[in-house]
Coordinates of all heavy atoms in Angstrom, one line a residue:
F123 N 112.7 114.0 99.5 CA 112.2 112.8 98.8 C 112.6 111.6 99.5 O 111.8 110.6 99.6 CB 112.7 112.8 97.4 CG 111.9 113.7 96.4 CD1 112.5 114.8 95.9 CD2 110.6 113.4 96.1 CE1 111.8 115.6 95.0 CE2 109.9 114.2 95.2 CZ 110.5 115.3 94.7
S124 N 113.8 111.6 100.0 CA 114.3 110.4 100.8 C 113.5 110.1 102.0 O 113.1 109.0 102.3 CB 115.8 110.6 101.1 OG 116.5 110.8 99.9
I125 N 113.2 111.2 102.7 CA 112.4 111.1 104.0 C 111.0 110.7 103.6 O 110.4 109.8 104.3 CB 112.4 112.4 104.7 CG1 113.8 112.8 105.2 CG2 111.4 112.4 105.9 CD1 114.4 111.9 106.3
L126 N 110.4 111.3 102.6 CA 109.0 110.9 102.2 C 109.0 109.4 101.8 O 108.1 108.7 102.2 CB 108.6 111.8 101.0 CG 107.1 111.6 100.5 CD1 106.1 111.9 101.7 CD2 106.9 112.4 99.3
F127 N 109.9 109.0 101.0 CA 110.0 107.6 100.6 C 110.2 106.6 101.8 O 109.4 105.7 102.0 CB 111.2 107.4 99.6 CG 111.5 106.0 99.3 CD1 110.5 105.1 98.8 CD2 112.7 105.5 99.4 CE1 110.7 103.8 98.4 CE2 113.0 104.2 99.0 CZ 112.0 103.3 98.5
A128 N 111.1 107.0 102.7 CA 111.3 106.1 103.9 C 110.0 106.1 104.8 O 109.6 105.0 105.3 CB 112.5 106.7 104.7
T129 N 109.4 107.2 104.9 CA 108.2 107.3 105.7 C 107.0 106.5 105.1 O 106.3 105.7 105.8 CB 107.7 108.7 105.9 OG1 108.8 109.4 106.5 CG2 106.5 108.8 106.8
R130 N 106.9 106.6 103.8 CA 105.8 105.9 103.1 C 106.0 104.4 103.2 O 105.0 103.6 103.5 CB 105.8 106.3 101.6 CG 104.5 105.8 100.9 CD 104.2 106.7 99.7 NE 103.8 108.0 100.1 CZ 103.8 109.1 99.3 NH1 104.1 108.9 98.1 NH2 103.5 110.3 99.8
C131 N 107.2 103.9 103.1 CA 107.5 102.5 103.2 C 107.3 102.0 104.7 O 106.7 101.0 104.9 CB 108.9 102.1 102.8 SG 109.1 102.2 101.0
A132 N 107.7 102.9 105.6 CA 107.5 102.5 107.0 C 106.0 102.5 107.3 O 105.5 101.6 108.1 CB 108.1 103.6 107.9
F133 N 105.2 103.3 106.8 CA 103.7 103.3 107.0 C 103.2 102.0 106.4 O 102.4 101.3 107.1 CB 103.1 104.5 106.3 CG 101.6 104.5 106.3 CD1 100.9 104.9 107.5 CD2 100.8 103.9 105.3 CE1 99.5 104.8 107.6 CE2 99.4 103.9 105.4 CZ 98.8 104.3 106.5
L134 N 103.6 101.6 105.2 CA 103.1 100.4 104.6 C 103.5 99.2 105.4 O 102.7 98.2 105.4 CB 103.5 100.3 103.2 CG 102.9 101.3 102.2 CD1 103.6 101.2 100.8 CD2 101.4 101.1 102.0
A135 N 104.6 99.2 106.0 CA 105.1 98.1 106.9 C 104.6 98.2 108.3 O 105.0 97.4 109.1 CB 106.6 98.1 106.8
R136 N 103.8 99.2 108.6 CA 103.3 99.4 109.9 C 104.4 99.7 110.9 O 104.3 99.2 112.1 CB 102.4 98.3 110.4 CG 101.1 98.2 109.6 CD 100.2 97.1 110.1 NE 98.9 97.2 109.5 CZ 97.9 98.0 109.9 NH1 98.0 98.7 110.9 NH2 96.7 97.9 109.2
R137 N 105.4 100.4 110.5 CA 106.6 100.7 111.4 C 106.8 102.2 111.4 O 108.0 102.7 111.5 CB 107.8 100.0 110.9 CG 107.6 98.5 111.0 CD 108.9 97.7 110.5 NE 110.0 98.5 110.0 CZ 110.7 98.1 108.9 NH1 110.4 97.0 108.3 NH2 111.7 98.8 108.5
E138 N 105.8 103.0 111.3 CA 106.0 104.5 111.2 C 106.6 105.1 112.4 O 107.3 106.1 112.3 CB 104.7 105.2 110.8 CG 103.4 104.9 111.5 CD 102.6 103.7 111.1 OE1 103.1 102.6 111.3 OE2 101.5 103.8 110.6
R139 N 106.4 104.5 113.6 CA 107.1 105.1 114.8 C 108.6 105.0 114.7 O 109.3 105.8 115.3 CB 106.6 104.4 116.0 CG 105.2 104.8 116.4 CD 104.8 104.2 117.7 NE 103.3 104.4 118.0 CZ 102.9 105.4 118.7 NH1 103.7 106.2 119.3 NH2 101.6 105.5 118.9
E140 N 109.1 104.1 113.9 CA 110.6 103.9 113.7 C 111.2 105.1 113.0 O 112.4 105.3 113.1 CB 110.9 102.6 113.0 CG 110.6 101.4 113.8 CD 110.8 100.1 113.0 OE1 111.6 100.1 112.0 OE2 110.2 99.1 113.4

Side-chain angles (χ1 to χ4, degrees):
F123 280 111
S124 303
I125 297 292
L126 184 62
F127 172 54
T129 304
R130 192 155 295 161
C131 286
F133 176 83
L134 292 171
R136 296 185 169 274
R137 296 183 356 222
E138 48 280 65
R139 287 187 189 258
E140 293 177 21

